Amino acid sequence: QVQLVESGGGLVQVGGSLRLSCAVSGRTFSSYTMGWFRQAPGKEREFVAGVAFKGGSTSYADSVKGRFTISRDNSKNSVYLEMNSLKAEDTAVYYCAAVRMLLTAPTAKEHYAVWGQGTEVTVSS
């Protein structure tokens, strides 16, 4: 089974930082394009950031550009989301997701085939 497990969520003050991790099972991690999504209460799941297979190409939602950084370590079968200058509106459950090898990360959640269970991030004022 291919599984994604997120970790690193928690409670943080406005302006603070968190680093989320997503561990992917299997030996084919480098073949996946990875994305981070988030879902706040009462809202639809939205794209946050993505990184292409084997690393390199990244993309971000306008709302997080300049504050968040996505990266991957193929040797560790992991993808990360470094979140800085956090705002109250960043509060959400964050999910990592995988799609088969692509040069760029799709922004629509319907493209992703495998999802983690999510990790909750709460940004308090």
Side-chain angles (χ1 to χ4, degrees), residues 16-51:
S17 300
L18 281 175
R19 181 180 174 89
L20 306 183
S21 299
C22 177
V24 183
S25 66
R27 299 181 179 180
T28 60
F29 174 74
S30 63
S31 297
Y32 290 98
T33 290
M34 303 296 300
W36 283 98
F37 288 75
R38 67 186 182 186
Q39 188 166 18
K43 295 186 177 181
E44 295 185 1
R45 193 169 300 186
E46 64 176 354
F47 174 80
V48 176
V51 59

Side-chain angles (χ1 to χ4, degrees), residues 2-118:
V2 177
Q3 292 185 323
L4 281 59
V5 180
E6 303 96 335
S7 63
L11 176 65
V12 65
Q13 296 281 341
V14 169
S17 300
L18 281 175
R19 181 180 174 89
L20 306 183
S21 299
C22 177
V24 183
S25 66
R27 299 181 179 180
T28 60
F29 174 74
S30 63
S31 297
Y32 290 98
T33 290
M34 303 296 300
W36 283 98
F37 288 75
R38 67 186 182 186
Q39 188 166 18
K43 295 186 177 181
E44 295 185 1
R45 193 169 300 186
E46 64 176 354
F47 174 80
V48 176
V51 59
F53 77 103
K54 296 184 178 181
S57 179
T58 59
S59 58
Y60 299 91
D62 289 340
S63 60
V64 306
K65 192 174 299 182
R67 299 189 297 119
F68 291 10
T69 302
I70 187 172
S71 62
R72 68 191 298 160
D73 188 335
N74 292 333
S75 68
K76 298 180 179 179
N77 286 2
S78 297
V79 62
Y80 308 96
L81 185 68
E82 180 71 31
M83 304 184 295
N84 300 308
S85 301
L86 284 162
K87 304 175 180 179
E89 53 262 43
D90 294 320
T91 295
V93 176
Y94 284 72
Y95 302 87
C96 64
V99 63
R100 64 180 179 176
M101 182 171 57
L102 295 172
L103 294 177
T104 59
T107 59
K109 60 183 182 295
E110 290 79 10
H111 287 90
Y112 291 83
V114 184
W115 293 82
Q117 294 299 307

